Amino acid sequence: MPRRSPNPDTPAGERILVTASELFYERGIRGVGVDLIADQAGVTKKTLYDRFGSKDALVAAYLTRRHERWAAWFREHLAERGATGTDQVLAALEVAEEWADDNVRGCAFVNAHGEIGGTEHPGNAVILADKQYMLAAFQGLLRDAGHPDAERLGEQVHLLYEGAMVAHTTRAQPDAFGVARAAARALLRD
Amino acid sequence: MPRRSPNPDTPAGERILVTASELFYERGIRGVGVDLIADQAGVTKKTLYDRFGSKDALVAAYLTRRHERWAAWFREHLAERGATGTDQVLAALEVAEEWADDNVRGCAFVNAHGEIGGTEHPGNAVILADKQYMLAAFQGLLRDAGHPDAERLGEQVHLLYEGAMVAHTTRAQPDAFGVARAAARALLRD
DNA sequence: AGATAACCATACAGGTCGGTATACTCGCAG
DNA sequence: CTGCGAGTATACCGACCTGTATGGTTATCT
């Protein structure tokens, strides 16, 4: 009998989530089967289903975890740079570049959206939340810097950020983030 | 025996490609099996393999066809607007918005890259070519308009274009293309 | 007349998919 | 000492996956 509300917060559950996250990001969601995840995590398939209930739920957990990891990493590394005022926006784009260099498959949420977008998959809400978080982050930085039009400019910089992510990952523009920073500087001058 | 060099340029081949294109775009590459494509196209699986040789080759043909379709549509609708000078860039973003409204699953090449990126799939070359085509298109428009820094500015506008596509499709920014145009206008003023 | 290209229909191979079923062991808290 | 949560192992389900095999039909071109 399936658990009423599966509780993934156990050692095996954690191992499953970590393993699944790596595999999903590297090979795509449909490119990874639950058998492989269970094997790789040193766990039986039954345990996987006892902890997460379904593959869809595991995918949603993967996206949630990934967003949390990224948000924490982003905040931390941004603070480390000690930028002030509108320079924080440029620093944010530098931090994003650093992340992108270590995450060659690009934005996990864009990739996931390409696979599950337009369906009723529980992961879709997480994808939207991640994107809105980044938009709000840029707007927040500009608001804190006292910029008179933080909302509008935040939207524009957010487009540069998303565009740079795509152009960098697809190798259409090798220095996509440098280009994004130059554009952001011009918009800030305005 | 498999054909030495499969020739997809037949009525059945065309039907297969059209059907596969719709399905791949709507459900993703791994989300569609060759059986379904053959059924939907009113063709036997043998014919599909006689025409295209493999699913991977069919996917590459899908991406190539899609790029050609988009490029033709883009050129045509851009010309129809009769914009001149640097206004052509803004018109291009309007045309892109129109396309995006009718193609709810977003950029087929970004989606495909999420599924096959980082592998040796023959579709990867097509994806890169499409992205570089759009970068060159923006640079070309600016060069024709006599802009002194067409290369650099083209790169920046290209990021706005890619970013708007992502933000629009994921619904992170409902008016993503309007925001992109405002940013482009500001960069052009510079 | 003969060859060839372009199809049709059916069947099958060998594997993977998400998900379930059964039966067992271990540690711990009441 | 008993019950339960967390885990093990193995087997199975029906559906689907890419790809091949076999054999037959029709139209066109030389």
Side-chain angles (χ1 to χ4, degrees):
Chain A
M1 201 187 322
R3 290 285 169 284
R4 219 151 264 268
S5 50
N7 171 230
D9 195 16
T10 68
E14 180 62 21
R15 241 156 55 224
I16 292 166
L17 184 50
V18 168
T19 306
S21 295
E22 280 183 25
L23 290 169
F24 283 149
Y25 181 67
E26 226 61 50
R27 309 189 195 180
I29 293 168
R30 303 198 87 123
V32 179
V34 288
D35 295 85
L36 178 63
I37 296 170
D39 278 5
Q40 209 99 331
V43 143
T44 61
K45 211 154 52 150
K46 178 167 192 312
T47 298
L48 189 154
Y49 276 92
D50 280 349
R51 297 296 125 238
F52 293 93
S54 70
K55 183 184 180 181
D56 282 1
L58 177 56
V59 168
Y62 147 62
L63 291 171
T64 301
R65 167 67 60 93
R66 177 127 189 141
H67 170 72
E68 284 162 1
R69 284 279 228 249
W70 153 251
W73 194 94
F74 176 68
R75 274 191 297 262
E76 205 174 303
H77 281 67
L78 182 57
E80 267 176 22
R81 303 211 170 217
T84 59
T86 57
D87 276 357
Q88 285 179 290
V89 171
L90 302 175
L93 290 171
E94 283 174 14
V95 168
E97 179 173 20
E98 206 182 318
W99 173 276
D101 282 335
D102 286 347
N103 290 262
V104 191
R105 295 294 318 281
C107 176
F109 304 94
V110 169
N111 292 348
H113 188 268
E115 293 196 77
I116 68 176
T119 71
E120 285 179 8
H121 198 289
N124 279 306
V126 190
I127 295 171
L128 179 56
D130 175 81
K131 292 296 158 205
Q132 288 177 334
Y133 174 90
M134 284 313 292
L135 169 58
F138 284 115
Q139 290 174 326
L141 290 178
L142 287 162
R143 214 178 302 119
D144 291 354
H147 196 281
D149 209 0
E151 265 63 36
R152 272 181 122 76
L153 193 57
E155 290 174 347
Q156 298 182 2
V157 174
H158 178 240
L159 294 192
L160 289 172
Y161 159 77
E162 294 290 352
M165 212 72 188
V166 168
H168 182 269
T169 303
T170 60
R171 290 174 161 71
Q173 288 196 42
D175 187 34
F177 283 95
V179 171
R181 285 193 293 273
R185 255 183 252 114
L187 292 173
L188 283 165
R189 265 200 303 274
D190 216 54
Chain B
M1 203 190 320
R3 293 281 170 287
R4 218 151 264 267
S5 50
N7 170 230
D9 195 15
T10 69
E14 180 62 21
R15 242 156 52 225
I16 292 165
L17 184 51
V18 167
T19 305
S21 294
E22 280 182 25
L23 290 170
F24 282 149
Y25 181 68
E26 227 60 51
R27 309 190 195 179
I29 292 168
R30 301 197 89 123
V32 179
V34 288
D35 295 87
L36 177 63
I37 296 169
D39 279 3
Q40 208 99 332
V43 144
T44 61
K45 212 158 43 153
K46 176 164 193 315
T47 299
L48 188 153
Y49 275 93
D50 280 350
R51 298 296 124 236
F52 293 92
S54 71
K55 183 184 180 180
D56 282 1
L58 177 57
V59 168
Y62 147 62
L63 292 171
T64 301
R65 167 67 61 93
R66 177 128 189 140
H67 171 72
E68 285 163 0
R69 284 281 230 245
W70 153 251
W73 194 94
F74 176 68
R75 273 192 296 261
E76 205 175 303
H77 282 67
L78 182 57
E80 268 177 20
R81 304 209 168 216
T84 59
T86 56
D87 277 356
Q88 285 180 289
V89 171
L90 302 176
L93 289 171
E94 282 174 14
V95 168
E97 180 174 20
E98 207 183 317
W99 173 276
D101 282 335
D102 286 347
N103 291 263
V104 190
R105 297 294 319 279
C107 178
F109 304 93
V110 169
N111 292 349
H113 188 268
E115 292 196 76
I116 69 176
T119 71
E120 285 179 10
H121 198 289
N124 279 307
V126 188
I127 296 170
L128 179 57
D130 175 81
K131 292 296 158 207
Q132 288 177 334
Y133 173 90
M134 284 313 293
L135 169 58
F138 284 115
Q139 290 175 325
L141 290 177
L142 287 162
R143 216 178 302 119
D144 291 354
H147 196 282
D149 209 359
E151 264 63 37
R152 270 179 121 76
L153 193 57
E155 290 173 348
Q156 298 182 2
V157 174
H158 178 238
L159 294 192
L160 290 172
Y161 159 78
E162 295 291 351
M165 210 71 185
V166 168
H168 181 271
T169 303
T170 60
R171 289 174 161 72
Q173 287 197 42
D175 188 33
F177 283 96
V179 173
R181 285 192 293 272
R185 253 181 254 116
L187 292 174
L188 283 165
R189 263 199 304 276
D190 215 54

